[in-house]
C-alpha cells in the first residue's frame, strides 16, 4: 500500500479513537447538569478513563515489543467506543466510572500498536507521523461537536449514538493491516524504528516533560468549558467553543511540529514550543473577554507542536523497546495528567476555578527545564532509507 494512503487511513482511524478521549471531557458538563455533580465528582470521571489508561497502556506497549498485535487496532477502537457509548445510560456514579474506564482501556490498547504500525507506514518521515498524530487531534477537536450533536438535545440517554465513529474507525484499519501482511512489514519488532543503544536517562527526562504537558492539557480539557463561561460571560455555547478551539488548535500545532522538525532538530522545536506554552497558559488564565479564545488557541499550539515529535524521540531514545516508549509517551505520561484533575477540581470547589488553574502556568516552564540540556538522539539505522539524525 502507498505510504500516503496508509497514513491517511491510519490518521482517520486515529481520529475515530481519540474522539473518545475528547468525549469524556465533553460529556462532563452534561453529567454535571443532569446529575448535579460537583467539580471534584465531575473530574473523577476524567480520572476513571485516565487512571486505567495509565496502568494498562505501558503493558500493551511491552506486549507490542514482544510480538505484533495488529488486530488490536480494530478491536480496541470498538472497545473504546462501546465504553463511552454506554456510560450515559446508567444513572449512578459507580457504573458510569466503570464504563468510562472501559473506554479508556480501549484507547490505551490502541496507541502503542498503532504507533508501531504508523512508524512502519511512514517509513521514518516525521511529517507523515505528524499527519498520523493530526488524526488524533482532530478526533479530540470533533468530540465536543459530536457529543453536542448526539446528546445536546436528548440528554445522556442518547450516548449510544457515540459508537458510530468506532464502527467507522475499525473498518478503516483493515486495508492497512492487510497491506502490511502482504509486504511482511508486520514482523515482530519495531519495524519502522531505528536500532541502537538505549538512552534511558534522556527518555526519563522526556517522559517527565510529557507529564508536565499532560497536567496542563487534561486540566484545561476538564475545566475550560466552565472557565470560558466565567471569562467571557457566555453560556454553554461558549464552553463548547473553548473546547473546540483547544482541540482544533492542536491539529494545527501537530502539522506545524512535523514541518518544523524537517528544518530543525526535534529537541529544539519541542523546547521552543514549551516556552510559547508558558506565555499562552498565563494569558488563558489571566486575560478576560474575547482575547481568551486567542490564548486558548496559542496554548493548544504550544502543547501540540511537540506531540508527535515526542513519540519519535522516545522511540529513538529507547530503540530496543519502541512499543514501551510509545506506551509511555502516548499513554502513561499523558494519563498521569488525569490524576491531577481531581486535585484541581477540589481546589476549585474550595477557592475558585481561576485560582485552581493558576498552577498550570508553571507546568510548561518545568517541561522546558527538563529538556534544556537534552540532545537530539542519534539514529544509527533509520528505517526504509529514511533520513538519519534530523529527518
Amino acid at each position: 500500500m502507498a505510504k500516503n494512503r496508509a497514513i491517511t487511513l491510519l490518521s482517520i482511524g486515529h481520529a475515530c479513537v481519540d474522539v473518545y478521549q475528547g468525549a469524556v471531557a465533553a460529556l462532563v458538563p452534561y453529567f454535571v447538569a443532569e446529575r448535579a455533580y460537583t467539580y471534584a465528582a465531575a473530574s473523577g470521571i476524567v480520572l476513571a478513563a485516565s487512571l486505567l489508561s495509565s496502568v494498562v497502556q505501558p503493558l500493551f506497549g511491552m506486549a507490542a515489543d514482544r510480538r505484533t498485535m495488529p488486530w488490536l487496532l480494530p478491536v480496541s477502537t470498538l472497545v473504546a467506543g462501546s465504553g463511552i457509548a454506554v456510560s450515559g445510560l446508567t444513572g449512578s456514579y459507580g457504573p458510569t466510572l466503570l464504563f468510562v474506564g472501559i473506554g479508556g482501556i480501549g484507547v490505551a490498547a490502541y496507541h502503542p500498536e498503532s504507533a508501531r504500525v504508523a512508524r512502519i507506514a511512514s517509513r521514518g518521515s516525521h511529517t507523515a507521523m505528524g499527519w498520523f498524530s493530526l488524526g488524533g487531534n482532530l478526533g479530540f477537536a470533533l468530540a465536543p461537536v459530536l457529543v453536542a450533536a448526539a446528546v445536546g438535545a436528548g440528554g445522556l440517554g442518547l450516548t449510544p449514538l457515540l459508537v458510530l465513529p468506532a464502527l467507522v474507525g475499525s473498518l478503516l484499519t483493515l486495508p492497512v493491516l492487510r497491506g502490511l501482511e502482504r509486504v511482511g512489514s508486520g514482523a515482530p519488532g519495531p519495524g519502522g524504528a531505528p536500532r541502537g543503544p538505549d538512552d534511558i536517562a534522556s527518555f526519563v527526562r522526556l517522559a517527565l516533560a510529557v507529564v508536565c504537558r499532560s497536567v496542563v492539557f487534561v486540566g484545561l480539557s476538564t475545566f475550560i468549558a466552565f472557565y470560558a463561561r466565567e471569562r467571557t460571560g457566555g453560556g454553554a455555547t461558549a464552553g463548547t467553543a473553548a473546547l473546540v478551539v483547544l482541540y482544533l488548535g492542536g491539529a494545527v500545532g501537530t502539522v506545524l511540529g512535523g514541518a518544523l522538525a524537517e528544518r530543525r532538530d526535534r529537541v529544539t522545536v519541542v523546547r521552543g514550543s514549551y516556552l510559547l506554552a508558558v506565555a499562552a497558559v498565563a494569558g488563558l488564565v489571566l486575560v478576560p473577554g474575547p482575547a481568551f479564545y486567542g490564548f486558548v488557541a496559542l496554548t493548544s499550539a504550544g502543547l501540540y507542536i511537540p506531540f508527535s515529535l515526542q513519540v519519535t524521540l522516545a522511540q529513538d531514545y529507547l530503540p530496543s523497546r519502541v512499543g514501551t516508549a510509545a506506551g509511555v509517551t502516548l499513554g502513561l505520561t499523558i494519563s498521569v495528567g488525569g490524576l491531577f484533575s481531581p486535585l484541581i477540581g477540589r481546589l476549585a470547589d474550595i477557592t475558585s476555578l481561576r485560582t485552581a488553574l493558576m498552577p498550570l502556568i508553571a507546568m510548561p516552564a518545568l517541561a522546558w527545564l527538563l529538556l534544556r540540556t537534552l540532545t537530539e538522539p542519534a539514529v544509527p539505522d533509520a528505517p526504509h532509507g529514511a533520513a538519519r539524525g534530523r529527518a
Side-chain angles (χ1 to χ4, degrees):
M1 178 178 290
K3 179 180 74 173
N4 289 346
R5 180 172 180 241
I7 288 296
T8 298
L9 292 176
L10 287 170
S11 180
I12 298 172
H14 194 184
C16 292
V17 170
D18 278 4
V19 156
Y20 299 110
Q21 291 199 75
V24 175
L27 283 168
V28 163
Y30 295 97
F31 285 119
V32 171
E34 291 193 23
R35 301 177 184 176
Y37 291 159
T38 64
Y39 284 139
S43 61
I45 296 173
V46 179
L47 174 62
S50 299
L51 185 60
L52 281 173
S53 287
S54 68
V55 173
V56 171
Q57 192 149 313
L59 299 180
F60 280 106
M62 288 185 283
D65 286 333
R66 290 177 171 83
R67 59 178 300 176
T68 59
M69 297 182 291
W71 53 268
L72 267 181
L73 272 64
V75 171
S76 61
T77 301
L78 291 173
V79 171
S82 299
I84 301 304
V86 177
S87 66
L89 298 182
T90 173
S92 56
Y93 192 65
T96 298
L97 296 181
L98 172 64
F99 287 115
V100 167
I102 290 172
I105 291 174
V107 171
Y110 173 86
H111 282 100
E113 184 66 12
S114 69
R116 185 191 70 84
V117 171
R119 192 77 187 262
I120 296 169
S122 71
R123 300 172 191 171
S125 168
H126 295 315
T127 300
M129 285 297 289
W131 284 106
F132 169 70
S133 296
L134 170 65
N137 300 339
L138 290 176
F140 261 106
L142 290 173
V145 177
L146 292 175
V147 168
V151 307
L156 293 172
L158 295 180
T159 55
L161 294 175
L162 296 176
V163 78
L164 294 176
L167 297 176
V168 173
S170 61
L171 290 175
L172 289 178
T173 61
L174 299 180
V176 178
L177 300 183
R178 285 196 295 267
L180 291 178
E181 287 178 358
R182 283 196 297 269
V183 300
S185 296
R195 285 290 190 181
D198 290 341
D199 184 351
I200 295 176
S202 294
F203 174 78
V204 169
R205 288 164 61 192
L206 177 66
L208 291 174
V210 180
V211 168
C212 295
R213 175 206 176 273
S214 172
V215 171
V216 178
F217 186 76
V218 177
L220 292 178
S221 296
T222 306
F223 297 108
I224 199 169
F226 303 109
Y227 196 58
R229 302 178 195 181
E230 292 184 10
R231 304 306 285 173
T232 66
T237 302
T240 299
L243 267 176
V244 171
V245 172
L246 180 67
Y247 295 159
L248 197 57
V252 176
T254 300
V255 174
L256 181 59
L260 290 173
E262 300 288 353
R263 294 165 175 80
R264 301 290 301 274
D265 66 86
R266 290 167 291 176
V267 173
T268 298
V269 174
V270 171
R271 279 198 297 255
S273 70
Y274 282 128
L275 286 179
L276 169 65
V278 174
V281 175
L284 184 157
V285 174
L286 301 174
V287 177
F292 168 83
Y293 291 102
F295 285 110
V296 173
L298 285 175
T299 297
S300 183
L303 295 176
Y304 267 105
I305 285 173
F307 188 75
S308 65
L309 306 182
Q310 290 171 155
V311 177
T312 58
L313 277 171
Q315 291 176 325
D316 290 346
Y317 286 133
L318 212 63
S320 70
R321 287 169 284 179
V322 295
T324 301
V328 170
T329 52
L330 285 172
L332 178 61
T333 51
I334 292 175
S335 299
V336 164
L339 303 179
F340 287 85
S341 188
L343 300 179
I344 297 173
R346 180 59 179 163
L347 183 58
D349 287 332
I350 295 173
T351 58
S352 69
L353 192 50
R354 182 185 182 188
T355 300
L357 295 177
M358 289 282 286
L360 299 184
I361 300 172
M363 291 292 102
L366 181 56
W368 179 85
L369 288 172
L370 286 164
L371 302 176
R372 188 173 62 86
T373 59
L374 207 64
T375 58
E376 182 76 10
V379 184
D381 185 19
H384 302 291
R388 299 175 184 236
R390 294 189 316 184

